[in-house]
Structure formats: structure tokens, C-alpha cells
Amino acid sequence: MNTPPLADWILKRVLPLGKRGESILGDLREEYRSNPSRAWYWKQTIVLGFRYLTHDSPQQRLTYPRSNVMWFELSSDLKTAFRNFLRAPGTSALIVFTLGFAIAAATIGFAFADLAILRGLPVDDTSKVVSVQVNDAQGSMSGAYRVSGADFLDYQARATTIEAAAAFRYGTAALIREGQSQTIGVAYATSDFFTAMGQRAFAGRVFVPGDDRPGAPPLVVLAHHYWQREMAGRGDAIGRTLQIGREHYTVAGIASPDIEFGNIAEVEMWLPLRIETSSQRDLRNLRFVARLKDGVSFEQAAAEMATIGAALSNQYPASNGGWSVRLVPVNDLVGGDSFWVVVALFLMSIGLLMAIATANVSNLVMVRTLARARELAVRTALGARKGRLVRQFLTEGMTLSIVAAALSLPLAYSVLQLVARLSSEKIFAQLQIDLHELSFVAMLALVCPVMFSLSPIRALARPDLRHVLAAGGSRGATALGRGRGVLVVLQVALAVILLTVSSLALRSMRELYAAPTGMQTSGVLLFGLEFNDAQYASVEEAHAAAIATRNGLAALAGVESIAMVNALPILGDQGSILLAIDGAVAPPNEARPTAVVTASSHDLDRTLGLRMLAGEWWRDGDANVAVVSSETARRYFGGADRAMGRRVSMTQGDHMLDARVVGVVNDIANTDRTELPPPRVWVPLDANTRRFTYLLRSANPASLPPSVRTVIAANAPAVPIESLQTFDDALAQAASSDYMIIGMLSGFAVLALVLASTGLFGVVSFTVAQRTAEFGTRLALGARAIDVANLVARDSAKLLAIGLSLGLAGGIGVGFTMKSVLFGLSPVDPLSLASVVALLSIVTITATALPAWRASRIDPVIALRSE
Amino acid sequence: MGRNFLGEFEQRVLLAILRCDANATPIEIRKEIARASGHDPSRGAFYTTLDRLEAKQLVRWTTEGGDAGRDGLPQRKFVVTPDGVKALRASRKALLELWNGLDEILSES
């Protein structure tokens, strides 16, 4: 039996050279023959390997040269490197911290970008999964593009290019545990959903064909995060029964965590979606994803779906006339244009920040090189090859950057944890440091030293280092310092770009959220209640409980008015639906009126402080009435006064609502605050509604929650209270992810500013030190202290001026490319630009003041003596 | 402390070499140590101790060509040098000096 070849390979490399090592190997082989155990041989390899790697035998040190010269030199380079670090601990620490902070910031930025781009969509193969979207010629569906159940079944049955077609929709369900009801985020999906997305079960199974058929046993698939959080990841979860609403579901399996992305990440359970063939064709509420068959191109599938869409319009002109279908690659679904602008900004910030940090470190390394000019000159004179010195520099740089990278990881990790904790957006909880981020950090740690070692290496390439010896050290090395000014200009310019961009972004966002919403949200407390069918079998019972709760709340001291809505304006809007004005159905190819329809109780205007432009809000008990927003009146009725008394009809729940316009009210902002206010229609609450948001106006809303809980406990004991908070808090929470992202950008900019200013400070101090003799001479010849200080100040002003102009030009350039995300702000916003200039000037003055003061205090006698 | 002060393990190795006499290959030396002390010394410690004793010029070794069982790899044979014997004597003397008179406390039965 032969010895393990890998173990032999290792042993040959660690054992001493010559007969000494060979005989040890021979001993091992001999013993192995009498006891052939590979495990034993490996153990001896490890024991001997460890021993001989950590203990040089005395003979080895004296008699045997290391066979591997490279290794020998590397260890000697490392030793020299450590000696050098210890010789200038301050500079070394500064380099490590500069790099560490920059790498940490870059890693954080990268983690955001990674989440957006690389972390990937919840599908296995982005080239095969498509979203199927429908729209009419006028784009009435703007942004929603959902299909109706009946249409979905037709597409599914007729398409031949599709391997799996699936429909799904998000919703909420009541999970009943020990008599307590809890609202959970669910998605209803047809049985092919997981197949279409290319996702497998983490444990158990996901839906298989047939699970969505009527009469099939009710199954639920748990989201991985829900299973982890609520069931502690226990294996016995599968097969358990959960009561959801009135039905009992068996847990079929756990979905793979790979599917948790974007909105899908908020789904806690997957329930089968059953589509009735008889479902309404114009009730378009399902998202449609499809997986192309192998060998089918995107264009082939798109053409086939378009043909089916056209056939459906001919077949059902009333519901499908004018509607067309298109396929969208799943890659294109992530975010809109502004999303990509933000991602690009992040990537640009990372790049600029790393460039600044590298320039800064490059400067510091050059200072060290100058201090070591003598050592290097001596080594060269003694015959050191240039390659050897270059390697020395790279080894030192690499060591520093590896230490910095090691420091940056915990820093980046804790910031990401903080972001996840502070932000209400669940998506940020997915920010993490894994293989992607680690490779990114490793890449930076390897590339940075090459960049910042370039300048000293270039200096080494000069043939006349011997002059340094003759000159006796510091002054002969002035030429080495050339180019440091260029680096500082570069840093200032890059910092200015970052500052400009982030201040534009910050100002733009503040404008955006400061714009009036159209409601008086301060003083409003809100919360959601769902009177589900598990607790309240009939809608009448649910409605009665809802009204009883409202009456109880209205009687509370301090409540000025109370209203109920089925969806909270701005934060909970359900998307636009089609309207018919005065009973006229627009011909298929004409613009169809759409509006965001909200059902509310009668005193919404008072509770939200809405302003009536014509007519008045309906009274309690009025039916078949509607209030339209000013935008609706302008667009579809030709003005507020002409809207009064007209008729508007729409689907509400499962029936058509035909309503008379009794009032016109002011506009309310869009969910996407950068968009114009949408047309809105307000109608009385539908008797089938089970889910309400309650709005309470009070002079002191913060004091209400305890009494609110008491009233709810009395009137609707098993109904959980959802997000009890003030309207303003809810709005701020919704904006928090935007603030988080802009905060990150601003953080990068501030770090860039700090780095650039330390760079500037370093260069100015260095120049002052170099010119000590010159300043001394000047002072001795009668120059005043202020003249010398001015001389120093002039130098840094020059650097600032060049850097600032380049940076402003760059910043404005970037500003124009991000114009699409600037809200009510020009890329050359004077306030933003002026504040950047002011900030930079203050920083420059601060960074210059100390060296300038020091220059003016030079004692001519000492300065001249040092010559 | 003399130049050739011996550690405990070094003493054992030297004594084992002496006991193996003409057959003092590393494998036999280790077996002898194991037999006497009841446990196998680690190979790493063992071989580096041999190196160290050699550096102190307390042992010497010669090689013989290896047989097929060693894949032709050389075999070392160790002998203790006169300095080695001297060092062992010194150690023994120092230890006996210390042991002397403690028999009552330390005797086993």
C-alpha cells in the first residue's frame, strides 16, 4: 500500500533537506509498511509539518539554505515591513485607518449595490423567466399590468412556448393560534409558481400541479424567514396544521430562502390560488410570471403571447378590446430608472472614495519613502536589484492593506446591522456580508497596494538615487515629493464631486417630502383592524363590530373626529381602476378614465382636513354617492363646477357601483411622491369590507393609544391592532429607506471630505518642513511672520482652487445625469454648490492654519543651523 | 547551568541511544523510549530533539542505504559522543544529589 501522495508532497517540503529529512521520511515509510493506516500517516505529516514549520532545526539555520529563495525573501521582506511599521507607528496607523474606513465604506456601498443587482432576483435563470404584462392602448394600468384570472387560464392553456405559467397575488390572511388572530402577509399562487420561478423547496415540498384545484386538500408553504422566526427552524413544522381564516392548512414545506427578494421577501406564507373559469375578465388583479421552454427565444414567446392576446380581444371585445400583452424579462422588473440612478450613484461613490483614499495613502507612503530615502539609496548602492525593492514596497503595501481590510469587515458589518435595525424596510435586513462582499474586500486589499505603491516605485526608477546619499537625506529628495500636489488636487476634486452629488440628493429629497400631501396629517392617529371571517362569520357581524368599535372610539375624550377607510391614502393606495363617466364606456382605442378609488366613512374630510372645492362630503348613510378630487374633475369632467351631479361608475368588490358626484375635494399626493397627484374618487364604505384603517383626529394623538386599546379590546377582542402610530410617523417611516440611502451617500461624502482634508494637511505640513531653511532665510532677511504664513496659505489656496473648479465641473456633470431623480431642483442648484464651496474653503483654511502658523514661528537661527 | 545542561527528554533520548547500542536507528530509539516510559513520544518533538542534540555535539549519526521497505531512503544510526556521555554523567550526578535522602518520602510501596 502506497503512502498518500499529497502527504508525501507536504513532507518533502517541510522536512529538512538532505539525508536528515530523507531518513525521517524513510522512518515514516518503514513504520507505515508495518501499520498501513492513511489516517496515521496524515497525523504524522501534520505533527512533523507543524513542528518543522514552527521550529527551525539548528542545522537548518546554519548549514542548509532554503531551497525556495522567493519564500526566504518574502519572509525577510515581511520582517523589514514590520520593522518599518514600528519605526513610524503613527503613519502606519494612519494608513491602516484611512484604508480601513474607505474599504468599510466601499463594502457597505457594495452591499447595497449587491442587494440590488447581484443578490439576484428570486429566479434561477433570468433568461428564461418573464413577467407577462397587459395594458390597454392608453396605458390605463400604469405600473400594475395585472391580468384577470380568466385571461390567465386562457394564456396558460393556449401558449405552447411556455413551460410553466403562474399567477399570484399578495394579500393578508388571519392566522389563528390559540384563539388569537394574527394578520400575516401571504401570497396566493397557482401550483406552477415555484416551477416557473425555478425555485425548489428548502424542506418538504412546494406546490405541485393539482394543489390549486378545487377540492384539493388545503396546503401551505412557509417562507423560510417565517419558519426560522416563528418556528425556530424546527424540522417537525412540516405536516403540522395551521388555522388560516376558517380553514385548516397542512404545512407542505418550506420555500427556499433564495426566493426572498423585494416584495416577495415580505410574504410569510404561500397559499394555493384557485382560479374559477367563470371569474370576471375585467377584474385584473393577478401577477403573471412564465418560464420559457428550452430552446424558445424571448421573441418567439413574445410573438405567441401577443397572438393569444389579440385573439382574446377579438373574442371578448367588451373586456379585452384594445388590450395588448407584452413580455418583460424578469431582469427589467427591478426598480425604475431612478433606482438605477441610485445604484449608479452608489457605485460611483465607492469608486471616488477608494480613489481618494488611495491617493491619500499614496501620499503617506511617499512621505515614508522620503524618510527612508537613505536606506533605499544604501541598499541600491550595495547592489539591491530594483525588483527586490519593488517587491519590498508591494509587500509593505499588501501587509498594510490586509490589516486594513481585516479591520474594515467588522466595521462594515456593524454599520449594516445598524441600517437593518434602524430602517423599517424589511429589504435592508437582507444586507449582509457574504462571499460577494468578502471577494470584493479581498479584491480591494490586493489592488489598492499596487495603486498606492506606484509612486514610490516610480521614484525608485530614477537612476540618481545616489544623489540622495550625497545630499545627506531630506533635501535631496524634493523631487520625490513632486506629484503630491497633483494627488491633493485630485482628492479635492473627487471630494467635491461627492459632496455636490450628495447635497443635491439630500436637498432634493427634503423638497420632495416637505411638499404638501394635501392632508393635515399632524394630529392624526391611525391603525388597522381586520375583522376576518374566522372571528366574524358573516360580513354583517364584521361590519357591526367595526361600527361598534368606531362608536366606542368616537366617544373617547380628546377624539375630535374619527374616520374609517379601506386603504390609507398615499401609504396604502391600491392602484388605479377603470371608471365609466356618465355610463359611457370609452371605445377601446380611446383613453379610458382611471382613478385611485378609496372607500371611506362620511367624516373623512373633517378628520384629514380635506378642503372641499365644490359641493360637500356625503352624510352618514348616503349610498351611491362619490366625491372626486380636483384632478379627476379637471381631467374627466372639465372642471370642478361641471363635475357636480354627474355620474361615475366603477367595480367595487364584486359589483358595479354607480355613483353621483356630490363634491369635489383637493388633490392628495401620489404614493410615489415624485409623480403628480393621481385622479382620485372617494366612495362610501362597501358593506363587504372587512379590513379598515381607522383615523382619529385629536389635539394630542400621542396620549390616545392606551384608551384606544381598551376600546378595541372591549369591542373586537380577538382582532389584532396593526401599526398603531401617528400619520406623520407612518409617513416618516415610509420615507426612512430613502433617508437611509441618502444618509449613506452623505456619509461617503463626509468621509471623502475628511480624507481629502487630511491629505491637504499632510501636503502643506510636508512642504513647510521641507522649506524650513528657506523660510528661515526669509525671516533672517527681514520677512515678517505674516508674509511667510501667506506664502504657505497661497500654496494651499492654489491647490484648493484647481481641485474645487475641477470638482464642481464634475459634480455638475454628474448632477445633470441624475436630473431624473432630482425633485424640483436644478443640477446647478446655487445653494448646494455654494455650501460645497464654503465647506471646502473652511476645511482648507483649517488644514492650512497649523502648518502656516508653524512656518511663521520658525526660528531663523535654528533653521539656518540645520543647513 | 553548564553549556551542556540536558532537558529531561534529551536525557531520555541519549539514554535510549546508549541502550540500543549498535542498533540505534530513530525507530528503535523511539521504541526504547516508549517501552521505558509507557507512552509514545511525538515524532515532531523526537526528531527536533535529535537535531538539537546533534547541534550541541552530544550525538553523531551515520547513514546506511535503505532497503525496499524504506523505498530506498537512507537510514540513520546514532551514537552518543564522549561529550554526550559527559553531559549524562553530570545530569545523573546532579539528580542523584537531589534525590539523596528523599527515599522515605518518594519510595513507592
Side-chain angles (χ1 to χ4, degrees):
Chain A
M1 195 172 169
N2 280 332
T3 49
L6 180 61
D8 276 339
W9 185 86
I10 294 173
L11 282 170
K12 279 183 190 150
R13 266 145 199 85
V14 295
L15 290 178
L17 289 172
K19 289 192 170 158
R20 186 189 312 277
E22 285 171 18
S23 76
I24 298 176
L25 194 58
D27 291 348
L28 280 180
R29 297 266 175 92
E30 191 180 329
E31 290 182 77
Y32 179 74
R33 293 280 136 69
S34 59
N35 168 31
S37 150
R38 285 176 165 252
W40 175 86
Y41 199 81
W42 267 111
K43 190 183 157 205
Q44 303 313 320
T45 306
I46 292 167
V47 167
L48 284 168
F50 182 73
R51 193 73 185 193
Y52 273 99
L53 276 180
T54 50
H55 295 68
D56 266 1
S57 72
Q59 290 75 17
Q60 190 141 11
R61 243 177 276 145
L62 297 173
T63 28
Y64 293 94
R66 281 279 187 184
S67 65
N68 198 334
V69 175
M70 183 80 180
W71 170 253
F72 173 74
E73 289 191 349
L74 180 63
S75 72
S76 124
D77 280 352
L78 278 173
K79 280 178 200 152
T80 316
F82 278 111
R83 230 177 5 248
N84 281 324
F85 300 155
L86 293 181
R87 201 179 289 161
T91 322
S92 308
L94 197 55
I95 291 178
V96 166
F97 280 115
T98 306
L99 274 183
F101 274 109
I103 294 180
T107 309
I108 294 161
F110 180 78
F112 273 86
D114 181 30
L115 182 67
I117 313 171
L118 300 176
R119 183 73 59 210
L121 294 152
V123 300
D124 64 333
D125 183 350
T126 51
S127 66
K128 293 182 90 179
V129 184
V130 294
S131 159
V132 183
Q133 307 189 337
V134 298
N135 210 342
D136 66 2
Q138 288 71 41
S140 316
M141 291 293 277
S142 80
Y145 312 118
R146 308 220 174 110
V147 297
S148 65
D151 282 352
F152 167 75
L153 292 177
D154 282 329
Y155 282 114
Q156 192 183 30
R158 297 185 198 184
T160 58
T161 53
I162 302 275
E163 185 185 324
F168 70 104
R169 68 181 166 82
Y170 299 115
T172 55
L175 175 70
I176 315 292
R177 276 205 301 204
E178 291 150 10
Q180 287 294 309
S181 154
Q182 180 193 2
T183 305
I184 52 169
V186 299
Y188 297 90
T190 55
S191 60
D192 267 349
F193 177 77
F194 292 96
T195 318
M197 303 285 274
Q199 293 287 354
R200 276 192 296 271
F202 178 79
R205 69 171 179 88
V206 288
F207 296 141
V208 295
D211 283 350
D212 56 356
R213 266 186 219 125
L219 291 177
V220 56
V221 172
L222 304 182
H224 184 263
H225 67 92
Y226 180 84
W227 174 61
Q228 285 288 337
R229 197 184 62 233
E230 298 291 328
M231 302 188 171
R234 285 210 312 274
D236 63 357
I238 294 162
R240 276 175 57 177
T241 310
L242 298 177
Q243 188 187 351
I244 299 167
R246 289 201 160 275
E247 251 185 299
H248 288 82
Y249 287 75
T250 309
V251 176
I254 319 292
S256 158
D258 291 344
I259 204 167
E260 289 167 20
F261 176 87
N263 289 333
I264 295 183
E266 303 193 7
V267 171
E268 296 174 303
M269 292 182 193
W270 298 86
L271 301 174
L273 172 66
R274 297 188 180 117
I275 300 174
E276 308 289 332
T277 39
S278 59
S279 67
Q280 261 176 285
R281 240 169 232 287
D282 56 358
L283 182 63
R284 294 183 166 86
N285 61 353
L286 298 178
R287 291 158 201 265
F288 185 174
V289 288
R291 185 181 189 80
L292 307 186
K293 274 190 183 150
D294 280 332
V296 168
S297 75
F298 179 79
E299 288 72 25
Q300 285 170 314
E304 193 199 29
M305 294 304 262
T307 316
I308 300 172
L312 288 175
S313 333
N314 287 333
Q315 205 173 341
Y316 308 101
S319 57
N320 290 38
W323 286 79
S324 60
V325 63
R326 62 173 182 155
L327 297 198
V328 179
V330 71
N331 259 336
D332 294 359
L333 292 183
V334 182
D337 285 348
S338 57
F339 172 83
W340 290 110
V341 172
V342 170
V343 171
L345 278 181
F346 258 79
L347 292 178
M348 186 198 74
S349 309
I350 299 172
L352 293 185
L353 199 60
M354 284 317 295
I356 293 173
T358 311
N360 222 354
V361 171
S362 194
N363 253 335
L364 291 168
V365 169
M366 261 206 268
V367 172
R368 274 163 46 121
T369 314
L370 288 178
R372 289 166 57 190
R374 258 187 96 85
E375 174 211 322
L376 296 172
V378 169
R379 283 177 76 170
T380 315
L382 289 178
R385 282 167 295 124
K386 240 168 223 144
R388 202 56 196 75
L389 294 182
V390 167
R391 208 150 65 207
Q392 173 72 52
F393 273 112
L394 284 180
T395 312
E396 286 182 23
M398 212 66 92
T399 317
L400 286 171
S401 75
I402 287 171
V403 174
L407 276 181
S408 74
L409 281 173
L411 186 63
Y413 178 76
S414 28
V415 172
L416 291 181
Q417 291 286 302
L418 194 69
V419 167
R421 185 125 27 97
L422 288 184
S423 171
S424 57
E425 290 272 338
K426 286 196 188 134
I427 182 101
F428 286 143
Q430 295 173 50
L431 285 170
Q432 54 182 313
I433 291 189
D434 64 7
L435 206 57
H436 293 173
E437 280 70 28
L438 290 179
S439 338
F440 179 75
V441 169
M443 192 268 292
L444 287 182
L446 293 182
V447 171
C448 284
V450 176
M451 303 302 289
F452 65 66
S453 304
L454 272 182
S455 34
I457 288 172
R458 264 195 32 225
L460 274 179
R462 289 183 316 120
D464 56 346
L465 252 186
R466 254 157 273 143
H467 288 208
V468 176
L469 273 179
S474 68
R475 292 198 61 218
T478 343
L480 261 182
R482 207 175 289 148
R484 303 184 72 221
V486 176
L487 283 180
V488 167
V489 165
L490 189 73
Q491 286 183 41
V492 171
L494 296 180
V496 168
I497 294 179
L498 266 184
L499 278 175
T500 314
V501 168
S502 65
S503 73
L504 279 176
L506 188 63
R507 287 242 310 140
S508 151
M509 198 174 59
R510 288 184 45 184
E511 293 270 328
L512 182 61
Y513 287 111
T517 56
M519 301 177 283
Q520 288 169 22
T521 52
S522 59
V524 174
L525 186 76
L526 58 86
F527 56 89
L529 293 181
E530 180 166 2
F531 300 85
N532 60 56
D533 59 359
Q535 249 80 32
Y536 301 92
S538 70
V539 287
E540 289 76 20
E541 285 173 60
H543 209 75
I547 298 300
T549 309
R550 189 204 50 191
N551 294 341
L553 291 167
L556 281 178
V559 173
E560 292 164 15
S561 70
I562 178 168
M564 295 149 75
V565 288
N566 68 341
L568 190 62
I570 298 181
L571 298 179
D573 282 333
Q574 314 232 303
S576 299
I577 62 168
L578 291 172
L579 302 180
I581 306 293
D582 294 331
V585 175
N589 291 325
E590 264 179 39
R592 291 161 167 228
T594 61
V596 176
V597 177
T598 309
S600 82
S601 60
H602 64 98
D603 34 17
L604 186 72
D605 57 333
R606 214 150 62 82
T607 312
L608 284 183
L610 304 180
R611 207 157 28 86
M612 298 304 299
L613 304 174
E616 55 186 11
W617 209 271
W618 64 82
R619 303 262 161 78
D620 196 8
D622 286 359
N624 297 336
V625 287
V627 168
V628 299
S629 74
S630 133
E631 178 66 20
T632 313
R634 189 191 62 76
R635 236 194 252 189
Y636 306 131
F637 298 99
D641 40 349
R642 295 174 62 185
M644 296 296 295
R646 304 272 290 275
R647 277 173 50 226
V648 56
S649 36
M650 70 218 81
T651 37
Q652 188 181 30
D654 52 2
H655 64 277
M656 278 307 270
L657 174 72
D658 195 15
R660 185 171 48 86
V661 176
V662 294
V664 179
V665 75
N666 69 298
D667 282 320
I668 289 177
N670 208 320
T671 307
D672 180 352
R673 304 284 283 274
T674 58
E675 305 264 317
L676 290 171
R680 286 179 186 272
V681 174
W682 308 87
V683 296
L685 283 169
D686 172 19
N688 290 319
T689 311
R690 284 176 174 275
R691 186 182 174 74
F692 304 92
T693 300
Y694 285 76
L695 299 154
L696 271 63
R697 172 166 291 283
S698 159
N700 186 9
S703 69
L704 285 178
S707 38
V708 165
R709 285 180 196 280
T710 318
V711 171
I712 295 170
N715 290 285
V719 176
I721 306 175
E722 292 162 34
S723 60
L724 175 62
Q725 58 187 337
T726 65
F727 206 154
D728 282 342
D729 285 350
L731 286 172
Q733 208 178 41
S736 73
S737 61
D738 283 4
Y739 275 104
M740 192 63 82
I741 284 170
I742 303 288
M744 282 286 152
L745 272 183
S746 312
F748 291 160
V750 169
L751 188 55
L753 182 68
V754 170
L755 290 180
S757 59
T758 52
L760 189 66
F761 175 75
V763 166
V764 177
S765 313
F766 183 77
T767 321
V768 168
Q770 289 247 300
R771 294 170 71 185
T772 306
E774 179 206 329
F775 291 147
T777 316
R778 281 174 190 270
L779 289 167
L781 291 178
R784 285 169 306 158
I786 185 80
D787 298 331
V788 171
N790 272 339
L791 218 53
V792 176
R794 207 185 305 151
D795 274 356
S796 57
K798 216 186 293 167
L799 294 179
L800 173 74
I802 304 173
L804 202 55
S805 355
L806 289 177
L808 280 180
I812 292 171
V814 178
F816 271 101
T817 62
M818 59 184 261
K819 201 167 178 208
S820 63
V821 293
L822 290 181
F823 179 81
L825 206 64
S826 143
V828 285
D829 175 51
L831 190 61
S832 302
L833 296 185
S835 51
V836 170
V837 172
L839 190 60
L840 249 288
S841 307
I842 293 170
V843 166
T844 312
I845 291 168
T846 322
T848 314
L850 184 65
W853 177 77
R854 218 186 278 152
S856 70
R857 302 265 305 195
I858 289 172
D859 183 338
V861 178
I862 294 172
L864 290 175
R865 195 183 295 147
S866 75
E867 268 299 275
Chain B
M1 211 188 289
R3 184 170 64 91
N4 283 342
F5 175 81
L6 292 176
E8 192 215 342
F9 191 58
E10 288 176 334
Q11 286 184 42
R12 288 188 193 199
V13 173
L14 285 173
L15 292 169
I17 294 174
L18 287 174
R19 294 178 77 90
C20 291
D21 197 18
N23 196 23
T25 63
I27 295 181
E28 293 305 318
I29 302 168
R30 274 191 73 246
K31 276 186 192 157
E32 186 59 28
I33 297 172
R35 188 194 60 76
S37 66
H39 71 265
D40 247 0
S42 122
R43 276 177 185 69
F46 174 67
Y47 283 111
T48 48
T49 303
L50 283 177
D51 289 347
R52 197 162 57 246
L53 290 171
E54 186 197 346
K56 292 183 186 174
Q57 299 182 342
L58 304 181
V59 298
R60 254 197 334 258
W61 50 267
T62 51
T63 58
E64 296 173 355
D67 52 21
R70 302 174 58 87
D71 296 333
L73 291 163
Q75 168 100 288
R76 283 194 288 179
K77 286 217 164 146
F78 285 83
V79 287
V80 180
T81 62
D83 274 356
V85 176
K86 214 187 279 174
L88 274 175
R89 271 194 203 118
S91 288
R92 179 167 179 270
K93 189 168 169 253
L95 285 174
L96 284 177
E97 200 67 29
L98 289 169
W99 281 104
N100 206 7
L102 298 176
D103 286 352
E104 245 175 65
I105 304 172
L106 296 166
S107 67
E108 283 177 42
S109 63

